[in-house]
């Protein structure tokens, strides 16, 4: 008897594979964001201090133009922050690093072709460099040719000097903030107008001629400890790694209510965001605090 022709087995579509990958990576990333703060907070708070910045000693740092900045910069507990986490394609992240001319030093660090990107908005009301606004865009990276441990990263992201968030763009509202950021760390700051509103029912920010961000409230909000900012920058050709410890709690949750409106300009930050593809993308998570407090030290030059 003749065998019937077997029907060809249907392979899952590429779109379905992409959804599965995105779901898996999102679950791992969100789980890390929940786990890490619980191990971090107790390790950084000064013993017996009523405020995170209490008792921190500063010393003068002289910039190239002769200006002096007191380091570390202290952010007392009266500042607001909104952070949005995205998962972008590895190729898009690599394209941005190449545009920043740091691809000989750094490469995107991700899982299954996806890389974490952080968009963060600050409203600083009480710091040792005055009041100012700031927006940061950063990509999770590793030093070229290295293999950092994900387990070590999840245990304490400050430990391994081979990984960090490369700061792509960092617009600010004052010249003093720009001079300090560029002069000490090589942060890619530029001065522009940033309007922010941190209200009880949501957040609105406008980066002049670049974009407008509207964010409601986090879904399934979870109070937890803050997360440090571990950054990579390049100053005078050298890679600088800076660990910014924070002492505040945050509200962490989903962020389907985050919407960017492209204002059609060609500023540095919105240009990077378009390349990364996050203008029309839903973040995987968001965090917010209106009592942000942190200590920004000089940073370490890596060999």
């Amino acid at each position: 008897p003749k065998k019937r022709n077997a029907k060809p087995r249907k392979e899952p579509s590429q779109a379905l594979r992409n959804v599965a990958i995105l779901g898996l990576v999102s679950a791992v990333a969100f789980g890390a964001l929940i786990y890490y703060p619980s191990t971090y907070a107790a390790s950084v708070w000064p013993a017996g201090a009523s405020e995170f910045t209490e008792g921190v000693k500063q010393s003068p740092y002289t910039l190239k133009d002769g200006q002096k900045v007191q380091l570390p910069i202290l952010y007392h507990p009266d500042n607001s922050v909104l952070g949005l986490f995205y998962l972008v394609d590895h190729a898009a992240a690599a394209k941005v690093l190449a545009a920043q001319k740091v691809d000989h030093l750094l490469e995107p660090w991700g899982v299954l072709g996806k890389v974490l990107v952080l968009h963060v908005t600050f409203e600083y009301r009480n710091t040792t460099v005055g009041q100012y606004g700031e927006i940061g865009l950063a990509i999770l990276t590793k030093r070229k040719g290295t293999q950092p441990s994900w387990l070590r990263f999840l245990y304490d992201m400050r430990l391994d000097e081979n990984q960090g968030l490369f700061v792509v763009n960092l617009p600010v509202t004052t010249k003093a903030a720009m001079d300090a950021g560029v002069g000490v760390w090589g942060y890619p700051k530029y001065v522009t107008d940033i309007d922010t509103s941190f209200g009880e029912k949501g957040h609105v920010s406008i980066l002049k001629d670049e974009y407008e961000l509207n964010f409601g409230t986090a879904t399934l909000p979870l109070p937890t400890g803050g997360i440090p900012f571990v950054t990579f920058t390049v100053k005078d050709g050298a890679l600088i790694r800076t660990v910014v410890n924070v002492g505040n709690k945050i509200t962490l949750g989903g962020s389907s209510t985050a919407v960017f409106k492209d204002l059609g300009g060609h500023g540095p930050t919105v240009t990077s965001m378009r390349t990364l593809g996050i203008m029309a993308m839903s973040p995987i998570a968001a965090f917010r605090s209106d009592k942000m407090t942190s200590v920004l030290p000089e940073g370490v030059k890596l060999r």
Side-chain angles (χ1 to χ4, degrees):
K2 293 183 179 180
K3 292 184 179 179
R4 294 182 180 180
N5 292 330
K7 291 183 179 180
R9 189 171 129 194
K10 289 186 178 180
E11 295 291 334
S13 68
Q14 185 62 46
L16 193 60
R17 287 196 194 98
N18 290 342
V19 169
I21 290 172
L22 185 61
L24 176 61
V25 177
S26 297
V28 171
F30 193 73
L33 292 174
I34 292 174
Y35 164 75
Y36 183 72
S38 65
T39 65
Y40 164 74
S43 69
V44 295
W45 191 270
S50 59
E51 288 190 2
F52 185 65
T53 52
E54 182 181 329
V56 177
K57 294 182 179 180
Q58 295 177 290
S59 58
Y61 179 101
T62 304
L63 304 178
K64 287 183 178 180
D65 62 1
Q67 292 186 72
K68 292 188 183 297
V69 179
Q70 294 294 320
L71 295 182
I73 294 175
L74 306 180
Y75 296 83
H76 302 300
D78 187 24
N79 308 291
S80 292
V81 58
L82 173 67
L84 304 174
F85 291 100
Y86 294 86
L87 286 175
V88 307
D89 289 338
H90 186 282
K95 187 174 181 180
V96 170
L97 295 182
Q100 297 292 315
K101 299 180 179 179
V102 296
D103 51 331
H104 64 295
L105 296 171
L106 299 169
E107 54 190 335
W109 188 37
V111 177
L112 300 175
K114 295 294 180 181
V115 178
L116 194 70
V117 166
L118 173 63
H119 177 283
V120 61
T121 306
F122 300 98
E123 184 179 285
Y124 294 127
R125 297 180 289 270
N126 189 357
T127 86
T128 53
V129 288
Q131 297 182 346
Y132 67 101
E134 183 174 66
I135 291 173
L137 183 68
I139 300 171
L140 185 60
T141 59
K142 63 187 180 79
R143 296 171 75 184
K144 198 151 190 176
T146 65
Q147 295 296 331
S149 164
W150 279 105
L151 288 177
R152 197 176 189 200
F153 174 78
L154 295 177
Y155 174 73
D156 189 336
M157 61 185 68
R158 299 168 298 168
L159 295 179
D160 193 334
E161 68 175 17
N162 290 319
Q163 54 76 23
L165 287 163
F166 173 71
V167 182
V168 179
N169 305 109
L170 201 62
V172 293
T173 57
T174 68
K175 185 176 183 300
M178 182 190 73
D179 289 344
V182 174
V184 179
W185 298 273
Y187 282 124
K189 295 193 174 189
Y190 60 99
V191 177
T192 187
D193 292 337
I194 303 172
D195 294 322
T196 56
S197 173
F198 283 83
E200 290 184 7
K201 296 184 178 180
H203 164 88
V204 178
S205 58
I206 300 173
L207 179 58
K208 184 181 179 182
D209 298 329
E210 299 196 45
Y211 67 79
E212 176 179 330
L213 168 63
N214 285 271
F215 177 82
T217 55
T219 55
L220 301 175
L222 174 70
T224 186
I227 304 168
F229 299 98
V230 183
T231 70
F232 277 144
T233 51
V234 176
K235 179 188 173 187
D236 299 329
L239 189 62
I240 308 295
R241 188 173 190 262
T242 307
V243 176
V244 186
N245 283 315
V246 304
N248 54 275
K249 294 185 180 298
I250 59 173
T251 300
L252 174 70
S255 54
S256 59
T257 57
V259 177
F260 285 107
K261 178 183 178 182
D262 195 323
L263 299 181
H266 300 285
T269 305
V270 76
T271 299
S272 300
M273 291 168 66
R274 290 173 187 146
T275 303
L276 291 169
I278 67 175
M279 295 297 291
M281 189 183 295
S282 295
I284 62 167
F287 69 88
R288 175 174 167 173
S289 175
D290 294 305
K291 294 292 182 182
M292 180 191 165
T293 178
S294 62
V295 175
L296 173 55
E298 182 177 344
V300 177
K301 182 188 293 188
L302 301 181
R303 295 180 179 180

